[in-house]
Amino acid sequence: MAWIKRGLLWRPDGKLWWARSHAMIPTPVCQNNGTVRIYFSSCDAKGIGRPGWLDIDAGNPSVVLGMAKAPLLEIGKAGTFDDNGVVVTSVVQIDERIVFLYYVGFELCTQIRYRLLTGLAVSEDGGNTFRRFRETPILERSQAELFFRCGPQVIREGEHFRMWYIAGSDWTEVQGKQVPVYVIKHMVSVDGINWPEEGKTLLSPQNIDEHGFGRPWVIRTPTGSYEMFYSIRKRSAAAYRLGYAISDDGVAWTRRDMELGLDVSATGWDAEAIAYSAVITATDKPLCFYNGNGFGASGFGWAEQE
């Protein structure tokens, strides 16, 4: 496939207290009024993340129509799993009123750098405001997934919810820094709230240069098969690159990374890294929203499929 990069879409100007820097993990949702709402998370002056949103014109994605003036969710109470950051990664419309927002909670640790678990927030007004479903994770630590149960994307299919997510129990060293080891897993829930303690491993690091993955993004094709867009964390770059895989059932995947056709630029905001891609079809062409340098420090941009 071939993509045309359209450039940087948005990054904070520092005027909002909760969005002094970063615009992490763009998560687009098509609206009924011809707009696309992109959920993301920004950082305050202390580097603590909170989620917000940006509305764009579906027919002309470079046009910003509106933005959240306050964060959708505050960080958790001291000592909870999300007391040092809330990062949205998936939004699911249940009906006209109810919306599920899945997010990663950041918890700083002493013996390891941090722990990343998944929480749930619920909207009862169509996605304008959200409240925590509970103060504990819906993906809590388990014996098989000790430190990381995070980065989920959830899709509702029939009477079930399917989740593709990141999991791990190990760390490795890259350029003198301890970094996580992640795999991509999958599991199913009947209500989108209660999930198994362990998922099925779908993709693991393929060679010595890979040590983890970023938030998977899965879409159904018109033929009923599946495509997955994900990020690959590489030792050689000390940063993410994008990956792509195909599947007939959403469980058995074939990697086709070289076919994606979307990589770092020669210069600019996405020259050092490219990550956290999310693909939607809002009008007639697929659109890809993604982060560039610094895990969202340079903001997020978009590309259009030829």
Side-chain angles (χ1 to χ4, degrees), residues 54-69:
L54 192 79
D55 282 348
I56 61 173
D57 187 332
N60 186 1
S62 62
V63 176
V64 176
L65 302 173
M67 179 187 165
K69 301 304 180 184

Side-chain angles (χ1 to χ4, degrees), residues 12-247:
D13 59 12
K15 294 180 179 179
L16 296 172
W17 70 267
W18 60 277
R20 294 291 175 84
S21 70
H22 292 72
M24 301 177 287
I25 311 186
T27 303
V29 177
C30 293
Q31 310 277 69
N32 293 327
N33 60 356
T35 67
V36 175
R37 175 157 291 186
I38 303 176
Y39 296 85
F40 62 91
S41 296
S42 286
C43 295
D44 64 15
K46 295 181 179 179
I48 297 174
R50 295 172 178 82
W53 54 264
L54 192 79
D55 282 348
I56 61 173
D57 187 332
N60 186 1
S62 62
V63 176
V64 176
L65 302 173
M67 179 187 165
K69 301 304 180 184
L72 289 173
L73 209 63
E74 256 297 347
I75 58 173
K77 293 179 181 178
T80 56
F81 79 103
D82 53 0
D83 66 355
N84 203 65
V86 173
V87 178
V88 58
T89 65
S90 184
V91 177
V92 180
Q93 189 89 32
I94 304 302
D95 56 34
E96 290 185 358
R97 296 186 308 107
I98 306 300
V99 181
F100 283 6
L101 183 150
Y102 297 87
Y103 68 90
V104 179
F106 275 73
E107 181 182 4
L108 296 181
C109 303
T110 54
Q111 302 302 314
I112 59 175
R113 290 176 57 206
Y114 51 79
R115 189 162 39 234
L116 305 176
L117 301 172
T118 295
L120 173 66
V122 179
S123 173
E124 296 179 345
D125 58 10
N128 293 313
T129 61
F130 286 87
R131 59 171 178 79
R132 272 178 179 74
F133 176 74
R134 65 187 186 211
E135 292 183 321
T136 56
I138 61 164
L139 297 190
E140 182 56 275
R141 291 173 294 176
S142 68
Q143 183 63 36
E145 301 167 4
L146 285 176
F147 307 136
F148 313 112
R149 305 190 77 201
C150 58
Q153 192 217 3
V154 177
I155 293 177
R156 192 178 187 186
E157 287 190 348
E159 298 300 316
H160 295 85
F161 293 77
R162 302 183 70 178
M163 177 188 287
W164 294 265
Y165 70 109
I166 303 299
S169 303
D170 297 300
W171 294 77
T172 188
E173 186 173 302
V174 176
Q175 299 183 6
K177 181 180 180 181
Q178 290 295 309
V179 294
V181 177
Y182 297 136
V183 299
I184 295 179
K185 293 193 173 188
H186 169 265
M187 55 188 174
V188 178
S189 166
V190 296
D191 57 10
I193 299 170
N194 297 288
W195 299 88
E197 290 189 355
E198 180 182 1
K200 176 181 175 60
T201 300
L202 306 182
L203 296 181
S204 300
Q206 205 170 46
N207 53 58
I208 191 62
D209 195 34
E210 299 179 355
H211 66 86
F213 299 95
R215 187 270 309 267
W217 185 268
V218 176
I219 61 174
R220 292 290 299 271
T221 71
T223 62
S225 61
Y226 296 80
E227 295 178 306
M228 182 193 293
F229 303 83
Y230 52 94
S231 307
I232 310 163
R233 200 162 178 177
K234 298 195 173 186
R235 297 174 187 271
S236 57
Y240 278 115
R241 296 294 186 267
L242 294 182
Y244 170 72
I246 59 173
S247 173

